[in-house]
Amino acid sequence: MPGLFDELKIRGVTLRNRIAVSPMCQYSSADGLANDWHFVHLGSRAVGGAALVFTEATAVAPEGRISPQDLGIWSDAHTESLARIVPFIDAQGAAAGIQLAHAGRKASMRRPWEPSGAVPVSQGGWEKVDAPSAIAFAGDYLVPHAMTETEIANVVELFAAAAKRALAAGFKVIELHAAHGYLIAEFLSPLSNTRTDRYGGSFENRTRFAREVATAVRRVWPESLPLFARISATEYAAGGWDLAQSIELARALKECGVDLVDCSSGGNISEARIPLGPGYQVPFAEAIKRDAGILTGAVGLITDSAQAQMVIQSGQADMVLLARELLRDPYWPMRAARELGQTISWPAQYLRAGPKGAPRR
Ligand code: 536
């Protein structure tokens, strides 16, 4: 079994180790554009030694943003704002990844550090949010509009258009956001999707939108570049989406050209009780890897280098995605390498502080 600091080759992309920066909302954009915050946030984590640096959930359409301050990728200006950041990530030896997202019924919400609730139209929120069925996520969320089949087809094409823009911006990996109760996940769950047409009811119908998005993105995304999908492996609710369905979905997504399933959980049922704890989602990555025969990523309360090393060495997952721990310490991969007795290359600018001490003059 490989270790945390062994390379991972997926299609034509070789990642320098098994550590990725999980997509993390920064709530710092104006009009969906990337700016200096995103440059420094993403750039410093590439300097810190991660192999793969994901943007936050990046919306394929304005109304697909979780908050008015989310990143987006629906115009040339958006592509250009991201294209400024990608070469810097590349130059650090990391690969730049973008998570493509549509927030569905969880769109148009306030930033977490503001009082909670939907953003009123007068304050830049939007009038209408989309979902498979007209069922609100929770009391302070908008009641969504149940999409028509034409509207569904349009969103599939928006994902494909966003993938083309991601390619133009220089990204090497796309992750589809099919987790956390956002639009794709809303279609998967019989609790949020009560449709009676081709997009609701049976497992095949509920997964149709996810499969169509993956297929449409794969059509425009080069053969040589990896495609990931983040899913919620369970929604912790009786009669809802669960691990058995996730394994089936992973098999189906593999057929559509998805290379790796990033295994998260929750987010579609506001009352769900989630059994949080160190590495609590790792067993989902393990089960999906084993039973669907696809690469997986483990995410969720992974904070410790020995813990991350064990996830990889035991074969539970092929990579780890760190989120909050990489907010605390952008240099976590460099620190983890030292703790695990591994040598990794440091940025030349920082070498005098590196594991081998000051370079000789
Ligand atoms: C964590 N979050 C995920 C977000 C943004 C808000 C916070 C996202 O995916 N864009 C989360 C994890 C699991 C379930 C719900 C939320």
Side-chain angles (χ1 to χ4, degrees):
M1 288 290 181
L4 188 62
F5 286 94
D6 286 327
E7 289 181 346
L8 175 61
K9 181 161 192 276
I10 309 176
R11 296 186 185 248
V13 174
T14 300
L15 302 174
R16 60 179 162 181
N17 60 50
R18 307 303 183 101
I19 304 163
V21 181
S22 191
M24 284 181 280
C25 291
Q26 299 296 301
Y27 308 100
S28 298
S29 289
D31 302 318
L33 298 167
N35 57 40
D36 286 352
W37 178 265
H38 305 91
F39 194 110
V40 173
H41 166 70
L42 300 169
S44 47
R45 282 151 189 84
V47 172
L52 174 56
V53 180
F54 273 114
T55 67
E56 68 190 63
T58 303
V60 301
E63 66 279 7
R65 289 172 294 172
I66 301 164
S67 79
Q69 293 83 16
D70 287 20
L71 273 182
I73 184 159
W74 63 80
S75 81
D76 290 347
H78 295 88
T79 311
E80 283 161 28
S81 73
L82 291 161
R84 183 172 79 96
I85 300 174
V86 172
F88 181 84
I89 294 173
D90 282 341
Q92 311 318 313
I98 183 167
Q99 191 189 50
L100 299 182
H102 191 301
R105 66 176 180 166
K106 290 174 75 174
S108 195
M109 299 303 289
R110 287 214 182 86
R111 301 192 268 196
W113 59 79
E114 290 167 351
S116 64
V119 180
V121 175
S122 61
Q123 290 170 34
W126 27 112
E127 205 101 36
K128 168 176 158 282
V129 298
D130 286 328
S133 302
I135 305 167
F137 173 66
D140 51 352
Y141 284 69
L142 295 174
V143 176
H145 157 75
M147 296 166 79
T148 65
E149 291 208 17
T150 308
E151 288 169 335
I152 293 170
N154 283 340
V155 175
V156 171
E157 288 316 309
L158 287 172
F159 271 94
K164 279 191 208 164
R165 293 190 182 284
L167 182 66
F171 287 98
K172 295 283 188 332
V173 181
I174 286 179
E175 174 168 280
L176 302 174
H177 199 339
H180 300 168
Y182 300 115
L183 187 61
I184 299 176
E186 291 160 18
F187 273 88
L188 297 177
S189 167
L191 303 177
S192 47
N193 176 357
T194 59
R195 301 176 72 95
T196 54
D197 62 2
R198 296 159 58 236
Y199 290 92
S202 66
F203 174 84
E204 196 192 348
N205 284 355
R206 284 181 282 114
T207 59
R208 187 180 310 280
F209 180 57
R211 291 183 285 110
E212 286 180 349
V213 168
T215 303
V217 166
R218 197 21 111 190
R219 207 175 55 227
V220 302
W221 188 240
E223 205 60 59
S224 60
L225 298 181
L227 177 61
F228 292 11
R230 172 166 285 185
I231 67 169
S232 283
T234 176
E235 57 189 355
Y236 305 102
W241 184 259
D242 59 16
L243 179 60
Q245 295 173 78
S246 293
I247 291 164
E248 269 314 305
L249 175 65
R251 291 192 185 118
L253 290 177
K254 189 179 170 185
E255 293 296 308
C256 302
V258 170
D259 302 302
L260 182 145
V261 176
D262 174 7
C263 301
S264 191
S265 71
N268 195 44
I269 300 299
S270 60
E271 316 87 64
R273 295 232 316 271
I274 303 180
L276 294 173
Y280 70 112
Q281 295 172 147
V282 173
F284 302 136
E286 182 180 15
I288 290 169
K289 179 176 165 62
R290 185 188 58 228
D291 294 344
I294 192 166
L295 298 174
T296 59
V299 64
L301 293 179
I302 299 173
T303 58
D304 180 77
S305 57
Q307 173 198 21
Q309 172 75 301
M310 189 53 70
V311 169
I312 303 299
Q313 279 186 342
S314 66
Q316 290 175 294
D318 300 283
M319 65 186 319
V320 292
L321 294 95
L322 274 63
R324 284 174 287 173
E325 188 61 14
L326 275 168
L327 296 184
R328 298 180 190 108
D329 180 6
Y331 305 102
W332 188 91
M334 287 153 80
R335 181 158 59 81
R338 190 173 61 234
E339 289 170 2
L340 297 171
Q342 302 277 324
T343 32
I344 60 168
S345 70
W346 276 43
Q349 297 91 332
Y350 291 0
L351 268 181
R352 71 178 71 83
K356 292 200 176 86
R360 292 185 186 284
R361 288 200 282 152

